[in-house]
C-alpha cells in the first residue's frame, strides 16, 4: 500500500502536465509523457491481438470497436485527411486488444473482473485485460486519451495505465414509475454510464404511481396500473433491449420490484393483493401495502417473481422493502386477528418480517440473490447472510455512516446511496459534496470495510422525466462514478474540477446534454434540435 | 368591470409617469365576471384571463375545414405579417400532426367551428415593434360556426390567439373540441419579462428563439437580454469589433448583427420586446480585453497590481467610448428602453487607485465613493436620454442616491427590505420592475413554483399612485449554472408561475386550481416542443423524448 501511495502522488503531478487531465474517472495508476503519436482516422483500427481469447465475432468487442470509432472520429473517419504533420512524430494506426479469458456472450456479474492495462509507447499500443469487461473499460479510457490539435490532427500521448475499480458495484438508479422514461432515455443513460465506468443499472421499474413493466403472466398489472397501457409501458421486447444494450456496455441490470409498500399501482390489476384500509369498522375504500396475511398474495408473488427471475438474467433482484406504512395494516381487523394468532402482539415490524421472509424464500428458491433497502435490516428481518443491504437514509434512524457500520458489523454486504440522492437539487456546485463522500469512513474492522461492495447514485422520479433527466444527472453522477472507481486518495477538488469540466465538454461533444459545473464554455456547445 | 377598469387606470398612471401619450382603448367589452367555477375546472388556460365565460356547449373543429381569417371590417389584412405568421403557427399548435383528414365526418354546422375571424379595431401596428404601452387586450367570442377575436392592435390578437389555441382540446376519439366561450382579457402589468444571461454561458440563438416561443405561450412580453458581463462579451459590435474578438469565449461564441436582428424580429412577431442590458460600471471584466484603458487599474501598495476593476469613471476617453457604443446599441435595438445595469460595483479597486483618489478630491466627493458611482451613472443616463431612449437600472443606482433622471425605471432584485424598498422608490416617483422573489436560477428540491406564484407584487405600503408605478416584473435565470443543456427545463414551467402572476387579476391565487391548470399547461408546452419539466409525479399524453 505504501509503495502504491508514493507512485500515485508522483503520477498525479505528472498528469497536470499532459492531456491526461481529460480522464474521468481517474485510473489507479497512470504514467504519461509529452511524447505523442499521431492517429489518422482513416487508417486507424481497433484490432484483436493474435493471442487474444476474444476474436472477430465477439459481439461485446466488435460493437464496442464500432462505437468508439464513431465516438472518436465520427464522420471525420470517412473523409480523406492528409498527414500534414511533420514526420518526426510517429504514428499509431491500431490499438491491439488482448483479452485473456474467453467469453463474449455471458452477462456481467458482481464478480466480473474489470481490470485492464493500457500500454502506449514506441513499441506497442496495447490494451490488455482479463475479460471483455475490462477491455470495455480500457477502450473508454483510451478514447479519453485521444485529443485533437487546433489543426484537427488526432494524437495520443505515450502512456502507461494499470487500472481496476475500487468497488465492484457502481450503480445508477432510475425511477420509471413516478414518471415514465421513454426507452431511448434509458438507452442513452446506459451509454453515458459506460463513459463513467458505471456498471449497474438499478431499474426501479414500478412504484405507487404507475406499473409500466408489462408482465406476460399478469398483463392486467400494466393494463390497469400504467399511466397509459399503450404508450407508457415497457414491453418484453423493450426490457430485452435494455438488458442487451447494457450487457454490451458491461452493465448489469438490477431490477427492483419494491414490496410490500410502494405498490399502489399493483392493486387495480390484481384484485385482493393490497390491504383494504379500514375507517372504524368499515373498509374505507382505500388500500395500503400488499396484504401479508393471504395465501393468495404469496401464490401471486411466487408466479410473478418466477417471471421476473427469468426475464432478468442478473443473479440479483432488488426486492425493495422500504417505507412500509403500518397505519393501514393496523386499521384492518383481519390483520389484527392474524397478528394475534401469530403472537406478533402490536409489533407490525414482525408482520413486515413475516412477509419479507416468505418473499425472500420464494426468490431464493429461484436461485436468485437479493438486494433490499435498509429498513429490512433495521426492522430485524431474518435474511440470508448473503443479502445485500442498501443504505439510503441520511439521518434516521441513525446517520448513514453509523448505519454502514451496523450493517457490516452484522456481517451483511452494504451498498451506499444515502449521500447520493441526485434528485435532491440545490443552487451551486453540489457535485463537490457528492464527490467528497468517502464510503468507508465509518468505524469498523477491515473485514467490515471489505463488505462494502459499492454504491449507487439515485435519481428518483417525482420531479424528473425525460425533459430534465439528462442535465440533472450529468455530470453530477460522474462525481459518484469516480468515487466508486478511483483510488480513495483521488479527492482533490481542484484536480477533479478541471477534469470533470473537461469531461462534461467531452460529453457534450458526444451528444449528451450534460449541464455546466460553473461559468465557462465548451468548444462544442449543446445544440437544440 | 372593475378589474378591467383598474387595469386601464394602472396603465394610464404609468404612462403619465413615463410622460407619454395615452391612447385610450376603444373596445366595447362586456365587463362581467360571472364565470361559474365549475366550468373553470375543465379549462386549461394559462395564464387565466381577466374574464372567462364558458358553457357546456361543444363546438367541433376539423383540421381540414378550419381556418383563421380577417374580418372584412378589420384594419389588418393579409399583408400583416405578424398575423399571417401567427395564423400558421397557431394552426400547427392546435392541430399538430393531425392536419391530413381533410374531408372528415360532417357535423351539424351549428356545432362546427369553421373559422376564427380576427378583427383589429385601430391602426394595427403590423410593422411596429411592441413597446411598454402596447395594447394587449382582446375579446374572444367562441361560437359556431365563426368565432371572433377582436383587439385594438395586433398585440392583443397575438395574446388572443394563444388563448384560443388553449381552449381547443381533443376528446378520446381524437376529435378537436372547444367549449362555447366568451373571454375578455387584458394584462395586469405591462412589463412581463424573462431575463437570460448570455455571458456566464453562451446561449445558441436557437435556444433563445425557443425561449421566445415558450414566452409567447405564457404571455410574457419582454426578453431582458443580459448580453454581456464579466465572463464574456458575446455581442459583436460593429463600432468596436475587438470587444467580442477579444472578450468572447471564442469566435464561435458570439452574436453577430444578423443573429441579433433574427432575435429581435422573431420576438416582434410574438409581441415580445427585446430589452438589451449592457451592465456597467461593474460586471465589465470582459470589456477590458478588447478596449484598452476602459477598466480601472487596481492598485496594491501604491503600485498597479495588474488586475482591473470596474469601468474607469474618471477618463474622458471612457465616456466617448461609451457614447459611441451606446449610440450603436440604441440603433441596433429598437426598444425604447436600454438596461444600464449599475449593480454590485466593487468599490475596492476604485478606492485603491491613486488617480481615482485624486479625482475624488478634485470633485469634492470626499470619501463617499458612492458619489463617484452616481457621477458615472449620471453621465451614462444623460447619454441615453440624449439618444431619446429611456433607462432601466438595478436598484443599487437608486439605493446609492444617484440623481436619477425622471422616468428612469428601477429594477429591484434584492430580497432584503423588499416591501420598504418598493414603498420608497415608488414614493420617489420612479417606475419599478420586481425581480427579487423570482430568481429562478436559485433552485431547490420540490415545488418551488408555489412560492413564485404566491408573491403579490403590490403587497407594500403605498398610495394608489405608487402602486401604479409598479410596471411589472421579471423572472431571472442567471447563467452561472445554466446553459443550453438545462435552460429550458429549469425555466419552464417555473417561470409560468410568474407569467400568470403578472398577467392575471390579483385574486387569481388558488394554488390547487393553479396546479391543475399548470400541469396541463406544461404538457401543452411539451407537446409544442418545449422541454418543460414536470411539476410532480404524473405523465403527459404526448411525451416524446426532448
Amino acid at each position: 500500500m505504501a509503495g502504491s501511495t508514493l507512485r500515485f502522488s508522483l503520477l498525479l503531478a505528472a498528469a497536470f502536465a499532459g492531456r491526461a487531465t481529460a480522464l474521468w474517472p481517474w485510473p489507479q495508476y497512470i504514467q504519461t509523457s509529452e511524447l505523442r503519436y499521431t492517429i489518422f482516422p482513416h487508417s486507424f483500427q481497433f484490432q484483436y491481438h493474435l493471442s487474444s481469447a476474444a476474436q472477430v465475432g465477439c459481439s461485446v468487442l466488435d460493437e464496442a470497436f464500432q462505437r468508439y470509432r464513431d465516438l472518436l472520429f465520427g464522420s471525420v473517419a470517412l473523409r480523406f485527411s492528409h498527414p500534414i504533420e511533420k514526420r518526426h512524430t510517429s504514428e499509431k494506426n491500431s490499438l491491439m486488444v488482448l483479452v485473456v479469458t474467453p467469453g463474449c456472450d455471458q452477462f456481467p456479474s458482481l464478480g466480473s473482473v474489470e481490470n485492464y492495462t493500457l500500454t502506449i509507447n514506441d513499441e506497442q499500443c496495447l490494451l490488455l485485460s482479463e475479460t471483455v469487461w475490462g477491455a470495455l473499460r480500457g477502450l473508454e479510457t483510451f478514447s479519453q486519451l485521444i485529443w485533437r490539435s487546433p489543426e484537427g490532427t488526432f494524437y495520443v500521448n505515450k502512456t502507461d495505465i494499470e487500472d481496476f475499480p475500487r468497488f465492484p458495484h457502481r450503480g445508477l438508479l432510475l425511477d420509471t414509475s413516478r414518471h415514465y422514461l421513454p426507452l431511448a432515455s434509458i438507452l442513452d443513460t446506459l451509454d453515458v454510464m459506460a463513459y463513467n465506468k458505471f456498471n449497474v443499472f438499478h431499474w426501479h421499474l414500478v412504484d405507487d404511481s404507475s406499473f409500466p413493466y408489462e408482465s406476460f403472466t399478469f398483463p392486467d398489472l400494466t393494463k390497469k396500473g400504467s399511466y397509459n397501457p399503450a404508450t407508457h409501458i415497457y414491453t418484453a421486447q423493450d426490457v430485452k433491449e435494455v438488458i442487451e444494450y447494457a450487457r454490451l456496455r458491461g452493465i448489469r441490470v438490477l431490477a427492483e420490484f419494491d414490496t410490500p409498500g410502494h405498490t399502489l399501482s399493483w392493486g387495480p390489476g390484481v384484485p385482493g393483493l393490497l390491504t383494504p384500509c379500514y375507517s372504524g369498522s368499515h373498509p374505507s375504500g382505500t388500500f395500503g401495502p400488499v396484504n401479508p396475511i393471504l395465501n393468495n398474495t404469496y401464490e401471486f408473488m411466487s408466479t410473478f417473481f418466477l417471471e421476473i427471475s427469468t426475464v432478468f438474467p442478473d443473479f440479483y433482484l432488488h426486492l425493495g422493502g422500504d417505507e412500509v406504512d403500518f397505519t393501514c395494516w393496523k386499521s384492518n381487523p383481519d390483520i389484527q386477528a392474524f397478528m394475534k394468532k401469530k403472537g406478533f402482539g402490536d409489533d407490525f415490524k414482525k408482520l413486515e418480517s413475516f412477509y419479507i421472509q416468505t418473499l425472500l424464500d420464494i426468490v431464493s428458491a429461484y436461485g436468485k440473490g437479493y438486494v433490499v433497502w435498509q429498513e429490512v435490516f433495521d426492522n430485524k428481518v431474518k435474511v440470508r447472510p448473503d443479502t445485500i443491504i442498501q443504505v439510503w437514509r441520511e439521518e434516521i434512524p441513525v446517520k448513514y455512516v453509523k448505519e454502514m457500520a451496523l450493517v457490516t458489523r452484522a456481517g451483511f454486504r452494504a451498498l451506499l446511496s444515502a449521500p447520493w440522492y441526485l434528485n435532491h437539487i440545490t443552487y451551486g456546485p453540489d457535485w463537490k459534496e457528492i464527490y467528497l463522500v468517502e464510503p468507508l469512513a465509518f468505524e469498523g474492522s477491515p473485514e467490515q470495510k471489505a463488505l462494502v461492495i459499492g454504491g449507487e447514485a439515485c435519481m428518483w422520479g417525482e420531479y424528473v422525466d425525460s425533459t430534465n433527466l439528462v442535465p440533472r444527472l450529468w455530470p453530477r453522477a460522474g462525481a459518484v462514478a469516480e468515487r466508486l472507481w478511483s483510488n480513495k486518495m483521488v479527492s482533490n477538488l481542484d484536480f477533479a474540477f478541471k477534469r470533470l469540466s473537461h469531461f462534461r465538454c467531452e460529453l457534450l461533444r458526444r451528444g449528451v446534454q450534460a449541464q455546466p459545473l460553473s461559468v465557462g464554455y465548451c468548444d462544442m456547445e449543446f445544440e437544440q434540435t | 368591470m372593475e378589474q378591467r377598469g383598474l387595469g386601464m387606470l394602472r396603465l394610464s398612471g404609468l404612462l403619465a409617469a413615463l410622460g407619454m401619450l395615452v391612447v385610450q382603448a376603444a373596445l366595447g367589452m362586456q365587463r362581467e365576471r360571472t364565470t361559474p367555477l365549475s366550468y373553470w375546472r375543465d379549462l386549461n388556460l394559462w395564464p387565466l384571463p381577466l374574464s372567462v365565460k364558458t358553457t357546456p356547449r361543444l363546438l367541433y373543429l376539423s383540421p381540414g375545414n378550419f381556418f383563421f381569417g380577417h374580418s372584412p371590417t378589420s384594419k389588418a389584412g393579409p399583408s400583416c405579417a405578424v398575423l399571417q405568421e401567427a395564423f400558421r403557427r397557431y394552426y400547427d399548435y392546435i392541430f399538430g400532426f393531425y392536419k391530413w383528414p381533410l374531408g372528415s365526418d360532417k357535423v351539424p354546422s351549428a356545432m362546427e367551428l369553421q373559422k376564427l375571424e380576427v378583427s383589429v379595431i385601430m391602426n394595427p401596428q403590423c410593422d411596429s415593434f411592441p413597446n411598454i404601452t402596447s395594447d394587449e387586450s382582446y375579446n374572444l367570442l367562441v361560437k359556431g360556426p365563426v368565432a371572433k377575436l377582436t383587439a385594438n392592435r395586433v398585440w392583443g390578437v397575438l395574446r388572443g390567439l394563444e388563448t384560443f389555441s388553449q381552449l381547443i382540446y381533443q376528446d378520446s376519439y381524437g376529435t378537436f373540441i372547444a367549449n362555447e366561450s366568451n373571454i375578455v382579457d387584458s394584462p395586469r402589468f405591462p412589463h412581463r419579462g424573462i431575463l437570460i444571461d448570455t455571458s456566464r454561458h453562451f446561449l445558441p440563438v436557437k435556444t433563445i428563439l425557443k425561449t421566445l416561443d415558450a414566452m409567447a405561450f405564457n404571455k410574457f412580453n419582454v426578453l431582458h437580454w443580459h448580453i454581456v458581463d464579466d465572463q464574456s462579451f458575446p455581442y459583436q459590435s460593429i463600432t468596436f469589433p475587438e470587444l467580442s474578438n477579444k472578450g468572447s469565449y471564442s469566435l464561435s461564441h458570439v452574436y453577430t448583427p444578423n443573429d441579433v436582428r433574427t432575435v429581435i424580429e422573431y420576438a416582434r412577431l410574438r409581441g415580445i420586446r427585446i430589452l438589451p442590458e449592457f451592465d456597467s460600471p461593474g460586471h465589465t471584466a470582459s470589456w477590458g480585453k478588447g478596449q484598452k484603458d476602459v477598466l480601472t487599474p487596481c492598485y496594491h501598495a501604491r503600485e498597479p497590481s495588474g488586475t482591473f476593476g470596474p469601468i474607469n469613471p474618471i477618463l474622458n476617453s471612457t465616456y466617448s467610448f461609451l457614447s459611441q457604443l451606446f449610440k450603436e446599441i440604441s440603433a441596433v435595438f429598437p426598444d425604447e428602453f436600454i438596461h444600464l445595469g449599475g449593480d454590485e460595483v466593487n468599490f475596492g479597486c476604485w478606492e485603491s487607485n491613486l488617480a481615482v483618489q485624486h479625482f475624488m478630491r478634485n470633485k469634492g466627493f470626499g470619501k463617499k465613493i458612492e458619489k463617484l458611482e452616481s457621477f458615472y451613472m449620471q453621465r451614462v443616463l444623460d447619454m441615453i436620454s440624449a439618444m431619446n431612449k429611456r433607462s432601466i437600472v438595478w436598484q443599487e443606482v437608486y439605493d446609492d442616491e444617484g440623481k436619477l433622471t425622471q422616468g428612469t425605471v428601477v429594477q429591484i432584485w434584492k430580497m432584503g427590505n423588499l416591501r420598504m424598498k418598493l414603498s420608497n422608490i415608488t414614493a420617489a416617483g420612479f417606475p419599478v420592475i420586481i425581480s427579487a422573489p423570482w430568481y429562478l436560477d436559485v433552485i431547490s428540491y420540490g415545488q418551488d413554483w408555489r412560492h413564485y406564484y404566491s408573491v403579490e407584487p403590490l403587497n407594500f405600503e403605498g398610495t394608489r399612485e405608487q402602486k401604479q408605478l409598479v410596471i411589472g416584473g421579471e423572472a431571472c435565470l442567471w447563467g452561472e449554472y445554466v446553459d443550453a443543456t438545462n435552460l429550458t427545463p429549469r425555466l419552464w414551467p417555473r417561470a409560468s408561475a410568474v407569467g400568470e402572476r403578472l398577467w392575471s387579476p390579483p385574486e387569481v391565487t388558488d394554488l390547487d386550481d393553479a396546479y391543475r391548470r399548470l400541469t396541463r399547461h406544461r404538457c401543452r408546452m411539451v407537446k409544442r416542443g418545449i422541454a418543460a419539466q414536470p411539476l410532480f409525479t404524473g405523465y403527459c399524453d404526448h411525451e416524446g423524448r426532448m
Side-chain angles (χ1 to χ4, degrees):
Chain A
M1 200 60 193
S4 66
T5 310
L6 179 64
R7 189 170 168 198
F8 175 78
S9 44
L10 280 174
L11 298 170
L12 254 186
F16 278 109
R19 291 293 301 193
T21 47
L23 292 180
W24 192 275
W26 190 247
Q28 299 288 347
Y29 303 113
I30 173 168
Q31 188 112 51
T32 182
S33 86
E34 291 295 315
L35 183 65
R36 64 190 190 183
Y37 307 100
T38 314
I39 286 178
F40 295 108
H42 63 280
S43 58
F44 181 84
Q45 288 181 359
F46 294 102
Q47 286 184 325
Y48 293 97
H49 194 280
L50 277 177
S51 46
S52 172
Q55 290 294 338
V56 176
C58 173
S59 56
V60 172
L61 292 184
D62 282 354
E63 299 226 4
F65 290 172
Q66 191 58 46
R67 270 200 318 276
Y68 279 104
R69 198 177 164 73
D70 287 350
L71 279 178
L72 280 171
F73 310 120
S75 53
V76 178
L78 305 171
R79 257 182 279 145
F80 184 75
S81 67
H82 291 282
I84 45 160
E85 270 308 306
K86 295 154 233 152
R87 289 276 59 177
H88 67 251
T89 50
S90 48
E91 180 186 338
K92 290 289 176 199
N93 54 24
S94 70
L95 176 69
M96 282 291 170
V97 177
L98 198 166
V99 176
V100 175
T101 311
C104 291
D105 302 320
Q106 77 283 38
F107 289 94
S109 68
L110 181 59
S112 291
V113 178
E114 294 171 292
N115 301 22
Y116 67 92
T117 65
L118 256 177
T119 313
I120 302 160
N121 57 30
D122 290 352
E123 288 76 41
Q124 52 184 349
C125 187
L126 177 73
L127 168 58
L128 172 67
S129 70
E130 180 65 35
T131 67
V132 288
W133 315 122
L136 288 177
R137 305 296 167 246
L139 283 169
E140 175 57 39
T141 303
F142 180 75
S143 77
Q144 294 184 14
L145 285 174
I146 291 181
W147 56 281
R148 218 174 165 187
S149 71
E151 297 76 37
T153 314
F154 292 91
Y155 294 104
V156 65
N157 285 48
K158 181 172 187 289
T159 306
D160 268 306
I161 289 176
E162 278 178 57
D163 202 8
F164 54 86
R166 184 179 173 204
F167 295 103
H169 185 120
R170 304 179 308 281
L172 175 68
L173 177 148
L174 291 185
D175 168 3
T176 56
S177 173
R178 274 59 175 257
H179 284 98
Y180 178 80
L181 294 173
L183 187 63
S185 287
I186 296 177
L187 301 183
D188 289 352
T189 302
L190 289 168
D191 275 321
V192 195
M193 284 175 67
Y195 305 157
N196 285 273
K197 297 190 170 69
F198 275 112
N199 66 354
V200 180
F201 168 42
H202 178 163
W203 192 353
H204 187 85
L205 268 152
V206 300
D207 206 292
D208 286 333
S209 314
S210 74
F211 199 106
Y213 170 80
E214 194 172 59
S215 158
F216 53 81
T217 333
F218 300 100
D220 274 357
L221 280 167
T222 29
K223 229 173 252 163
K224 303 196 174 149
S226 67
Y227 282 135
N228 179 324
T231 55
H232 289 61
I233 59 167
Y234 301 105
T235 63
Q237 188 53 39
D238 291 342
V239 172
K240 260 190 224 153
E241 196 173 336
V242 168
I243 293 168
E244 179 61 7
Y245 201 90
R247 186 185 80 84
L248 290 173
R249 285 152 186 80
I251 296 171
R252 298 161 51 204
V253 176
L254 173 64
E256 177 178 356
F257 287 87
D258 191 355
T259 66
H262 290 281
T263 46
L264 281 185
S265 69
W266 303 45
V270 189
L273 181 68
L274 301 184
T275 310
C277 313
Y278 276 63
S279 153
S281 57
H282 295 285
S284 67
T286 63
F287 293 90
V290 165
N291 193 333
I293 67 168
L294 302 179
N295 286 336
N296 284 348
T297 295
Y298 299 103
E299 277 164 28
F300 165 80
M301 291 296 171
S302 254
T303 317
F304 181 72
F305 275 103
L306 178 60
E307 171 183 333
I308 300 306
S309 305
T310 328
V311 167
F312 293 94
D314 201 78
F315 176 67
Y316 290 93
L317 286 178
H318 201 301
L319 298 177
D322 58 320
E323 298 185 304
V324 184
D325 179 5
F326 294 146
T327 43
C328 181
W329 279 352
K330 278 180 192 166
S331 76
N332 183 302
D334 296 334
I335 289 190
Q336 290 161 11
F338 184 85
M339 296 276 290
K340 231 171 268 150
K341 200 178 89 189
K342 289 277 178 187
F344 291 167
D346 289 334
D347 191 353
F348 281 85
K349 286 181 185 172
K350 287 191 175 150
L351 183 59
E352 183 190 8
S353 297
F354 171 81
Y355 169 81
I356 300 231
Q357 273 165 18
T358 316
L359 179 68
L360 296 186
D361 287 344
I362 291 171
V363 174
S364 306
Y366 297 140
K368 290 281 182 180
Y370 38 80
V371 186
V372 290
W373 296 107
Q374 73 175 76
E375 282 94 326
V376 174
F377 170 79
D378 295 343
N379 293 347
K380 305 190 172 54
V381 178
K382 268 205 206 91
V383 293
R384 270 194 343 214
D386 61 349
T387 304
I388 298 170
I389 311 289
Q390 186 163 12
V391 173
W392 70 276
R393 308 195 66 145
E394 275 203 282
E395 301 281 343
I396 297 167
V398 293
K399 288 213 164 29
Y400 75 83
V401 179
K402 176 82 179 155
E403 180 82 6
M404 292 293 282
L406 293 175
V407 169
T408 52
R409 195 160 67 204
F412 293 110
R413 286 174 296 169
L415 272 176
L416 181 63
S417 285
W420 291 325
Y421 266 37
L422 301 190
N423 50 310
H424 291 158
I425 50 170
T426 52
Y427 182 72
D430 61 355
W431 69 271
K432 293 182 182 177
E433 272 175 63
I434 296 167
Y435 185 74
L436 289 177
V437 170
E438 169 45 50
L440 301 188
F442 60 86
E443 283 193 36
S445 63
E447 290 75 23
Q448 274 176 266
K449 311 252 162 141
L451 287 170
V452 177
I453 59 169
E456 290 185 358
C458 299
M459 184 55 81
W460 295 100
E462 282 86 348
Y463 300 101
V464 176
D465 70 4
S466 65
T467 61
N468 58 356
L469 172 76
V470 181
R472 197 163 286 199
L473 197 49
W474 310 110
R476 293 162 77 228
V480 180
E482 175 154 301
R483 181 54 52 238
L484 293 173
W485 177 280
S486 303
N487 191 292
K488 179 183 177 179
M489 282 167 294
V490 181
S491 60
N492 180 293
L493 278 176
D494 294 332
F495 183 51
F497 176 75
K498 280 199 189 92
R499 286 181 298 114
L500 192 54
S501 301
H502 192 116
F503 181 58
R504 103 99 186 173
C505 287
E506 173 63 12
L507 290 179
L508 286 193
R509 198 190 65 79
R510 295 183 184 192
V512 181
Q513 202 175 334
Q515 73 181 10
L517 294 174
S518 177
V519 297
Y521 72 103
C522 297
D523 288 328
M524 285 181 76
E525 299 286 2
F526 176 75
E527 276 277 354
Q528 220 119 20
T529 44
Chain B
M1 64 148 215
E2 64 188 51
Q3 270 75 45
R4 172 76 195 151
L6 255 179
M8 288 312 295
L9 229 144
R10 162 175 323 293
L11 196 57
S12 2
L14 158 76
L15 299 184
L18 296 174
M20 290 173 187
L21 277 178
V22 182
V23 181
Q24 193 57 52
L27 283 173
M29 295 180 176
Q30 302 102 324
R31 294 180 176 178
E32 301 131 89
R33 182 180 197 106
T34 50
T35 318
L37 271 172
S38 58
Y39 291 142
W40 285 20
R41 219 155 274 151
D42 303 320
L43 285 176
N44 302 321
L45 300 180
W46 192 279
L48 201 63
L50 181 59
S51 153
V52 181
K53 284 198 285 183
T54 177
T55 80
R57 268 195 300 280
L58 297 179
L59 300 167
Y60 295 86
L61 291 83
S62 156
N65 194 32
F66 175 87
F67 66 105
F68 296 98
H70 301 275
S71 151
T73 58
S74 176
K75 293 267 167 60
S79 66
C80 182
V82 171
L83 294 188
Q84 294 304 111
E85 291 284 321
F87 290 169
R88 184 170 62 182
R89 269 198 322 275
Y90 280 100
Y91 185 90
D92 279 345
Y93 294 146
I94 292 168
F95 298 114
F97 304 106
Y98 304 92
K99 296 168 202 175
W100 33 268
L102 282 168
S104 63
D105 294 339
K106 277 282 170 218
V107 287
S109 64
M111 290 166 65
E112 186 172 1
L113 179 52
Q114 299 172 342
K115 183 181 182 187
L116 177 68
E117 196 174 83
V118 170
S119 184
V120 181
I121 290 172
M122 304 169 72
N123 173 12
Q125 303 179 332
C126 289
D127 302 314
S128 315
F129 290 94
N131 62 49
I132 183 73
T133 66
S134 289
D135 187 342
E136 295 170 290
S137 59
Y138 66 92
N139 273 8
L140 179 60
L141 184 62
V142 180
K143 56 171 203 182
V146 177
K148 297 197 164 152
L149 172 59
T150 313
N152 283 334
R153 312 284 189 187
V154 289
W155 317 119
V157 176
L158 290 175
R159 304 297 169 246
L161 284 171
E162 176 58 37
T163 303
F164 179 72
S165 74
Q166 295 188 5
L167 282 172
I168 295 161
Y169 57 97
Q170 277 178 283
D171 67 10
S172 46
Y173 298 98
T175 313
F176 293 93
I177 305 176
N179 287 65
E180 239 183 44
S181 320
N182 187 0
I183 291 173
V184 179
D185 202 7
S186 73
R188 183 178 174 201
F189 295 102
H191 185 110
R192 304 180 308 281
I194 297 282
L195 177 147
I196 56 167
D197 168 2
T198 57
S199 173
R200 273 61 176 257
H201 285 99
F202 180 80
L203 297 172
V205 170
K206 258 191 198 167
T207 302
I208 299 177
L209 302 185
K210 263 274 196 247
T211 303
L212 289 166
D213 280 331
M215 286 174 67
F217 303 157
N218 290 275
K219 296 191 169 70
F220 277 100
N221 66 356
V222 180
L223 180 71
H224 177 162
W225 192 354
H226 186 87
I227 195 166
V228 299
D229 205 295
D230 285 332
Q231 285 76 8
S232 74
F233 198 105
Y235 172 80
Q236 199 175 67
S237 161
I238 310 153
T239 327
F240 300 102
E242 288 304 292
L243 284 170
S244 62
N245 282 348
K246 301 263 169 68
S248 68
Y249 278 134
S250 88
L251 292 181
S252 60
H253 291 78
V254 295
Y255 301 106
T256 64
N258 194 46
D259 289 338
V260 173
R261 270 196 299 274
T262 302
V263 169
I264 291 169
E265 179 62 6
Y266 198 89
R268 184 186 83 84
L269 290 172
R270 285 151 186 79
I272 297 170
R273 298 159 51 205
I274 299 294
L275 170 64
E277 176 178 354
F278 286 81
D279 191 354
S280 73
H283 289 281
T284 47
S286 69
W287 304 38
K289 295 176 185 159
Q291 183 65 21
K292 212 170 159 297
D293 295 335
V294 75
L295 301 183
T296 312
C298 313
Y299 278 61
H300 183 73
R302 304 188 70 80
E303 295 289 331
S305 67
T307 63
F308 294 89
I311 281 185
N312 193 334
I314 67 168
L315 302 180
N316 285 334
S317 61
T318 295
Y319 297 101
S320 84
F321 159 73
L322 287 174
S323 157
Q324 288 177 75
L325 179 66
F326 278 114
K327 201 169 159 201
E328 172 185 327
I329 289 160
S330 67
V332 167
F333 293 93
D335 203 75
E336 187 191 12
F337 287 90
I338 294 177
H339 202 302
L340 299 175
D343 58 320
E344 300 183 304
V345 183
N346 173 10
F347 293 140
C349 179
W350 276 352
E351 283 165 339
S352 76
N353 181 295
L354 298 178
V356 171
Q357 290 167 11
H358 185 71
F359 184 85
M360 296 273 293
R361 269 195 301 278
N362 273 356
K363 289 278 177 187
F365 291 165
K367 292 276 173 213
K368 287 217 70 169
I369 197 81
E370 289 86 358
K371 289 200 172 167
L372 183 60
E373 182 193 14
S374 295
F375 169 84
Y376 171 84
M377 286 310 295
Q378 196 54 54
R379 296 277 302 256
V380 180
L381 285 165
D382 289 346
M383 215 179 265
I384 301 302
S385 298
M387 294 166 191
N388 285 319
K389 293 270 183 175
R390 292 171 181 276
S391 303
I392 304 179
V393 292
W394 295 106
Q395 71 181 93
E396 284 96 323
V397 178
Y398 174 87
D399 293 348
D400 293 341
E401 294 169 66
K403 271 178 288 166
L404 277 182
T405 315
Q406 199 63 29
T408 302
V409 178
V410 179
Q411 184 164 11
I412 301 190
W413 68 277
K414 294 182 178 180
M415 276 308 269
N417 301 322
L418 175 59
R419 289 187 200 174
M420 205 180 76
K421 290 272 180 225
L422 280 165
S423 292
N424 293 346
I425 299 175
T426 53
F430 293 102
V432 160
I433 295 167
I434 298 175
S435 290
W438 294 320
Y439 265 38
L440 302 194
D441 55 315
V442 181
I443 52 170
S444 59
Y445 184 69
Q447 299 198 36
D448 52 2
W449 70 273
R450 291 171 184 265
H451 303 293
Y452 308 137
Y453 190 76
S454 300
V455 170
E456 169 46 54
L458 300 189
N459 183 15
F460 64 90
E461 295 274 325
T463 63
R464 203 165 149 151
E465 288 71 28
Q466 274 176 269
K467 307 233 163 163
Q468 281 160 8
L469 284 169
V470 177
I471 63 171
E474 288 183 3
C476 300
L477 193 66
W478 294 100
E480 281 86 349
Y481 300 100
V482 176
D483 70 2
T485 62
N486 57 357
L487 177 129
T488 303
R490 196 161 287 199
L491 191 53
W492 309 107
R494 292 161 77 228
S496 304
V498 183
E500 175 152 302
R501 183 53 53 240
L502 295 172
W503 178 279
S504 302
E507 65 270 26
V508 179
T509 54
D510 180 341
L511 275 169
D512 293 335
D513 182 59
Y515 176 78
R516 189 190 57 74
R517 285 182 295 113
L518 190 51
T519 302
R520 298 185 192 183
H521 182 54
R522 103 97 185 170
C523 285
R524 179 165 47 225
M525 287 196 275
V526 169
K527 194 178 167 191
R528 293 180 184 185
I530 305 296
Q533 71 181 14
L535 292 176
F536 191 54
T537 304
Y539 71 104
C540 299
D541 288 327
H542 303 263
E543 59 195 334
R545 274 186 63 239
M546 307 305 303

